[in-house]
């Protein structure tokens, strides 16, 4: 179906209106973008904050230096303190003695800081068509000094409560508590005040003795104080040593007393006082030393007393040889065995160095028997008187020369040649010479 001419004209008109509206929107956006781009916050200052100390100097450095034609303006809390142009420099009167501007880098130096100088500082670079701006915050602190810890003025006894307070001058941002160089944290016995300046310990234990520290600090300074805490406790008593000893041995008993300060010790044996030394000694005990041994300790600070007791038994020495006698017998046996081994070794060496000693003994016995027979028969040959009774008699005969053995003297007892030779038996009656009448 064909459209009517009037309807076509109306539709074309509507399309043209829509196009015109879109063009207007685009133009508006472009104008807004151009206008907002004329004042931009650039990275011309580093991120903050920066910290300063009362009475000292701080320097505001820049990241991007200004152009030669830029107008440089430093402001504090939206109040201009320095304005620099290519032809002039204007400084607020109250800052004239305290600020300096580096015209090349745009950096600002602020001297003789006060706590009032803390706040936000702004830097602006301005040209005819463009403005760049950056912001940075300054925090000024007083130096922390004269830190001290206040502790209890009374004697601290185990299971009581106590408080430590940390004091100091200056701007304190952080408070830390330490014990023996280890940071303390809240627990069932350790609690801290809201500002962390007071430490409460309840109940106090003997393990709480030691050195406590408090550190006060801020970003530009810190200071620490120490406090030594001593907890008095005890006594806790126990007796160390053997409960059964043998008669004749020593009795050694030690009274161990865990106490701060050291406790005073006394001993009683079967109810009778027996000394005041922690170590109790009895030398060469006997059966009468059996009984109850009691150690009593007293702490003069806690005013507490504690005791411990043991029953000691002295047993009779075992029957038989004493340890000393047994040791003597053992040593004697060892020496006897060593002596026997030495004798055997000597005999073995001596027999080996001789040529058949048993044969020599038998031969000598036969010689004496032959000599007895000659005396009995009276048939001695080639006999002669000796020239000297101290020398052996020699006989000269025809033929080979030889020496007759010495005449045996029956009256003299012959000594054994060897230690193991048995004494010679007396001669048989048949071998004895006839009696001369």
């Amino acid at each position: 179906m064909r459209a009517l001419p009037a309807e076509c004209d109306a539709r074309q008109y509507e399309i043209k209106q829509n196009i015109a509206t879109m063009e207007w929107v685009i133009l508006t956006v472009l104008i807004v973008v151009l206008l907002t781009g004329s004042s931009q916050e650039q990275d011309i200052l580093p991120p903050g904050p920066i910290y300063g100390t009362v009475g000292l100097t701080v320097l505001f450095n820049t990241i991007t230096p200004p152009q030669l034609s830029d107008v440089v303006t430093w402001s504090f809390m939206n109040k201009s303190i320095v304005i620099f142009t290519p032809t002039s420099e204007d400084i607020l009167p109250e800052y004239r003695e305290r600020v300096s501007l580096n015209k090349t880098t745009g950096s600002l130096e602020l001297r003789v800081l006060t706590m009032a100088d803390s706040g936000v500082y702004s830097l602006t670079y301005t040209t005819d068509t463009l403005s760049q701006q950056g912001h940075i915050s300054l925090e000024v602190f007083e130096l922390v000094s004269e830190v001290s810890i206040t502790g209890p003025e009374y004697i601290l006894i185990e299971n009581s409560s106590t408080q430590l307070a940390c004091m100091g001058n200056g701007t304190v941002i952080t408070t830390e508590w330490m014990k023996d160089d280890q940071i303390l944290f809240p627990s069932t016995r350790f609690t801290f005040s809201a500002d962390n300046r007071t430490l409460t310990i309840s109940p106090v234990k003997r393990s709480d003795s030691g050195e406590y520290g408090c550190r006060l600090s801020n970003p530009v300074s810190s200071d620490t104080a120490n406090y030594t805490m001593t907890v008095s406790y005890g006594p806790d008593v126990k007796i160390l040593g053997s409960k059964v000893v043998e008669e004749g041995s020593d009795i050694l008993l030690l009274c161990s007393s865990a106490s701060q300060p050291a406790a005073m010790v006394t001993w009683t044996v079967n109810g009778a006082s027996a000394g005041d030394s922690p170590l109790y000694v009895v030398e060469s005990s006997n059966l009468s030393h059996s009984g109850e041994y009691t150690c009593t300790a007293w702490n003069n600070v806690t005013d507490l007393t504690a005791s411990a007791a043991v029953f000691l038994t002295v047993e009779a020495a075992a029957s038989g040889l004493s340890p000393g006698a047994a040791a003597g017998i053992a040593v004697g046996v060892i020496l006897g065995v060593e002596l026997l081994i030495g004798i055997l070794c000597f005999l073995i060496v001596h027999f080996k160095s001789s040529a058949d000693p048993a044969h020599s003994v038998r031969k000598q016995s036969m010689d004496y028997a032959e000599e007895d027979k000659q005396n009995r028969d009276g048939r001695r040959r080639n006999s002669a008187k000796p020239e000297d009774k101290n020398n052996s008699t020699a006989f000269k005969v025809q033929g080979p020369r030889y020496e007759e053995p010495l005449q045996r003297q029956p009256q003299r007892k012959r000594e054994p040649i060897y230690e193991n030779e048995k004494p010679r038996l007396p001669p048989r009656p048949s071998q004895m010479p006839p009696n001369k009448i």
Side-chain angles (χ1 to χ4, degrees), residues 154-157 204 208-210 212 227-232 260:
Y154 51 87
I155 296 176
L156 195 57
I157 299 177
V204 174
D208 295 330
S209 295
Y212 288 77
Y227 177 86
T228 301
M229 178 184 291
T230 301
V231 180
S232 298
Q260 175 58 43

Side-chain angles (χ1 to χ4, degrees), residues 42-220:
Q42 303 290 335
D43 291 334
I44 59 177
L45 289 175
I50 59 175
Y51 304 111
T53 304
V54 171
L56 301 183
T57 300
V58 70
L59 180 64
F60 297 92
N61 290 311
T62 61
I63 295 176
T64 303
Q67 302 296 322
L68 294 177
S69 58
D70 288 348
V71 176
V72 180
T73 304
W74 275 98
S75 303
F76 172 60
M77 305 298 288
N78 296 324
K79 181 180 180 180
S80 298
I81 58 176
V82 176
I83 300 175
F84 171 76
T85 68
T87 59
S88 65
E89 182 180 70
D90 185 15
I91 301 176
L92 201 66
E94 55 264 35
Y95 285 94
R96 285 179 182 173
E97 302 298 329
R98 298 179 56 212
V99 299
S100 297
L101 178 67
N102 188 316
K103 302 175 180 60
T104 302
T105 63
S107 299
L108 179 70
E109 182 183 82
L110 180 59
R111 297 180 292 274
V112 193
L113 293 175
T114 65
M115 296 293 292
D117 291 328
S118 296
V120 178
Y121 289 77
S122 301
L123 172 62
T124 305
Y125 295 156
T126 307
T127 63
D128 294 338
T129 59
L130 184 64
S131 177
Q132 295 177 315
Q133 192 174 54
H135 306 281
I136 191 169
S137 63
L138 170 66
E139 297 181 20
V140 180
F141 301 95
E142 293 180 333
L143 289 174
V144 177
S145 61
E146 299 181 6
V147 178
S148 62
I149 298 177
T150 302
E153 297 180 355
Y154 51 87
I155 296 176
L156 195 57
I157 299 177
E158 189 174 31
N159 296 320
S160 63
S161 299
T162 189
Q163 283 188 339
L164 299 178
C166 186
M167 310 298 293
N169 297 330
T171 308
V172 178
I173 303 299
T174 304
T175 302
E176 286 182 321
W177 285 94
M178 297 156 289
K179 179 182 181 295
D180 299 329
D181 296 327
Q182 300 295 322
I183 296 178
L184 290 175
F185 298 97
S187 65
T188 55
R189 295 194 303 111
F190 290 79
T191 57
F192 301 90
S193 61
D195 61 358
N196 216 32
R197 303 285 284 271
T198 303
L199 168 63
T200 302
I201 306 175
S202 180
V204 174
K205 298 297 181 182
R206 64 187 65 181
S207 60
D208 295 330
S209 295
E211 186 174 78
Y212 288 77
C214 172
R215 179 166 54 232
L216 305 181
S217 62
N218 59 40
V220 298

Side-chain angles (χ1 to χ4, degrees), residues 289-340:
H289 291 122
S290 296
E292 186 178 56
Y293 290 71
T294 302
C295 168
T296 302
W298 173 64
N299 186 322
N300 63 344
V301 174
T302 63
D303 199 27
L304 297 176
T305 301
S307 298
V310 296
F311 192 88
L312 185 139
T313 302
V314 179
E315 295 181 340
S319 60
L321 294 176
S322 66
I329 292 174
V331 172
V333 170
I334 293 173
L335 293 177
V337 171
E338 291 182 353
L339 179 61
L340 180 59

